[in-house]
Amino acid sequence: MVDKSTLTALLSTVQLHDSADYAANSWAPFAAARTTAITVANDTNATQTEVDDALNDLQNAIGDLVFIKNLLDKLNDVDGMTQGDWTTSSWDDLQIKVGLATVVAVDPAATQSQVDTALSDLQDAIDALVSI
């Protein structure tokens, strides 16, 4: 008997993943692996090897996803800020970090490390803002 329980459980956890939350180059392999996994899970003639391969491929694709949603959300937060509320120097520093973070956020090949660094640097610049 072919055991698909782990594959179907994993599929249920990733069904709500949204492509807008991930770097494009990491999403494409994930979407392909998810599609294959769904096909295998629904195939009544699938072998255990096919199930195991689909599971492994999906797990690897999940591990390779680059999550950019938090960076995008932080950029949106900054977009709602008003320049006149902060000193020129601290605002200018923030704008530099916004520019760098935006480059990373729109880069389809961004790595998770690049995203995490951009988010951290952006947050540091926000924290360093000096109000007038």
Side-chain angles (χ1 to χ4, degrees):
M1 175 124 193
V2 175
D3 180 9
K4 298 179 181 179
S5 61
T6 304
L7 180 60
T8 56
L10 184 57
L11 280 169
S12 70
T13 66
V14 299
Q15 68 183 348
L16 298 179
H17 280 38
D18 184 349
S19 63
D21 296 341
Y22 299 92
N25 286 4
S26 72
W27 181 261
F30 165 76
R34 184 175 62 176
T35 298
T36 299
I38 290 168
T39 300
V40 170
N42 292 329
D43 183 356
T44 57
N45 296 316
T47 66
Q48 189 64 55
T49 299
E50 291 170 325
V51 171
D52 293 345
D53 287 349
L55 176 63
N56 186 53
D57 291 347
L58 183 57
Q59 289 170 325
N60 288 335
I62 291 167
D64 291 340
L65 280 171
V66 176
F67 188 70
I68 61 170
K69 184 178 184 331
N70 292 340
L71 180 57
L72 294 173
D73 289 347
K74 190 60 64 179
L75 284 166
N76 282 333
D77 291 347
V78 170
D79 193 43
M81 294 178 163
T82 305
Q83 179 178 359
D85 294 339
W86 314 102
T87 64
T88 301
S89 176
S90 66
W91 183 259
D92 289 347
D93 290 343
L94 174 63
Q95 294 311 301
I96 291 168
K97 298 304 181 184
V98 166
L100 295 171
T102 301
V103 168
V104 171
V106 300
D107 181 357
T111 66
Q112 192 64 59
S113 176
Q114 290 170 322
V115 171
D116 293 345
T117 298
L119 179 60
S120 176
D121 290 349
L122 185 56
Q123 185 61 57
D124 288 348
I126 292 168
D127 294 343
L129 283 170
V130 178
S131 63
I132 296 177

